[in-house]
Every structure is written in structure tokens, then in C-alpha cells.
Amino acid sequence: MKVKDFFKKSKNRLLAYWYKAMRQSVAIDKNKILFFTFQGKYTCNPKYICRRLHQLNSDVKCVWVIFREEDRADFPDYAETVIFNSEDYYKALYSSKVLVDNGLNFVKKPIAKKKGQYFIETMHGSLGIKRIDAASNPNKKRNKRGALCGEIADYIISNSDFENEVYRSSFWEKTPVLLYGHARNDILINGKDDVPDGNLHDKVRDFYGLPHDAKLVLYAPTFAREASKEFDEFDAGLLRECLTKRFGGEWYILKRLHPRDARNRKVSADSGYILDGNLYTDIQEMMVAIDFAVTDYSSWIFDYVVTKKPGMIYAPDLEAYQNSTGFYYPITAT
């Protein structure tokens, strides 16, 4: 046996022992809920579920998983945070009564759900067009996580018969489906946040230091594939010119990288009208505030259509994407 293989096996044995000891050493707190988003932020379905639970019962202990200590600033005072894969994380993992996920997060590291715990998967897309089944994705680690999530999830949240079929044909063949809709989309229907100062139109503009009559377009493609040039070469100037001609007003473009890409890349805001859309945590709030939407294959635009505001698909690599990942239904009109 090679020395490196010996140490690797020894490390794995020690970790397995440590995980087992941690799991057995903490008791389940019936009032504790652990939330985890793939963004590592206070956003998406878990945010709105957490906030509503706190409104209904302030005794509920809301704990959130974050990736960096600086992400703590986005959370309300009543939410505790733990760093992913830390000792505090595993204590929270095995002491929480309910685990709320938005996309294969808890299964990134070893997890053995305890008797009496409930795992609820909410996912982060709705009526999306990209295929998510294992056969359409060559990432073996991701597919392994998906299979494990399907095994341990007690429930998965859906908003339609279409989404039910997506789950059934991917990783959640037997997981009970709750046809409740997605909590994050209530504000898209209400047009405002469910808080006293919930004027999201002004809130987003104030965040970027813009006048309240400024026009906003959000450009947010899905995660980068082989040719990530699409994002960098997107002609923001031409888009701005066309929007001004069609709708009038002073337009600003929020360019937003997919969260997976934003950890390693930054938006180049080299023009006075181009702004870093990743600085604002909650994309649902942005959808309420913007006037126009642009994406390629990201599912957020299928949330956005609820607002009945205009948007468009910009997909220069359509043929290549169709041949690699594929779609559940044609993206082009026939």
C-alpha cells in the first residue's frame, strides 16, 4: 500500500468515527430547524419559510449554514449561523428536528439522518427548462448526491404537475411531494415584501444609490459552461440602447453571475450604467424591482413571468447546450 493511500484511509476512518460520535452525542431539539441554501445566503425558499415560521412562533430556533463568516451580516437577529463542515455545523445538523434544503446541500458531506429528524427539499428552480436527471449530467459526484438526497428526503416541495414529473424522473422517484408552491414567489404576486417597509422598488434602487425613477434590467445567466465568454461578451451597451428606444427612461444593467461562478469571478462594472447584481442577496426582491429581465437557461425567469413584466432569452450557445444538457421542452417557438 502506498503511503498516501494509507494516510487517506486512516483519515477517512477517523472522520467516520468522529461523525458517528458527533451524531450520537447530541440530542434532537424539537424547536430547532436548520436551513441550507446552495448560495450560503439568506435567500430562496428557505428564507421565506424561515421568516414565516418566526412570525408564527418566535420560539422556533432558526439556524443557518453559511460558507464565510462575512455572510452573517445578511441574516436577521433571530437567526443563528454555523460555518459549513465545522464542528458547530455537525452539532446543528444532528440536533435539529427539521432540515430545510434548496438543492443537494446537506448531502455534500457525510450525513446520516437520525430517527425523529425530517428532511425537506425545496429546490431552487420552478418550471425550469434545463434537464436535471443523472443521464443528462456527467458530474458523478453531483449525481451521487442527488441519489442520496432522494433516499433521505421525507418531502419535496413542488408548484405544478410539471415539476412533479421533473422530480419523479430524476432523483425523487418515491419521495412524497407537497404541492404547495414555492414560498419565495409570494412577493412576486404581492408586488412587495411581507414587511412594513416592503417597498422593494425603492429598496433595490436605494441599495445601488440610484434615483427611484431609474429603469433596471437584470441580466443573470445560468452557471458557466465551457464557453463562459457569453457573460463577458454580452453587449450591455446595445441592450441599453434598445431598451431606451423601446421604453424610454434612464436604464441601468444589473449583471449577476450564477452563485457557483460568483465565488471565483467578479462582475466588471466598468461603465456607469453597469452594476454588480451579485451584491444584492435576494434575486426574488430584484425581480419585483426590475423593469426587464434577460437570461439564457436559468430557471429564475420562470419565476419572473409571474410579475407579467417583459423579459427575453439570450442564448448564443443554444445548439451546444441542447446537445449537452438538453431541455424538458423546446426553448424556441415553432
Side-chain angles (χ1 to χ4, degrees), residues 15 48 185 200 227 252 273 295 304:
L15 285 174
Y48 293 94
N185 285 341
L200 295 174
Y252 295 84
Y273 61 84
T295 189
Y304 174 78

Side-chain angles (χ1 to χ4, degrees), residues 206-249:
D206 288 342
F207 180 87
Y208 286 101
L210 300 175
H212 289 176
D213 62 350
K215 297 288 188 179
L216 295 180
V217 55
L218 174 62
Y219 171 52
T222 191
F223 58 89
R225 295 161 299 285
E226 288 185 14
S228 58
K229 292 180 180 179
E230 173 197 328
F231 185 84
D232 296 322
E233 295 182 355
F234 178 76
D235 195 335
L238 178 60
L239 174 64
R240 187 173 190 249
E241 180 183 335
C242 292
L243 290 173
T244 302
K245 184 177 180 179
R246 174 67 176 83
F247 299 107

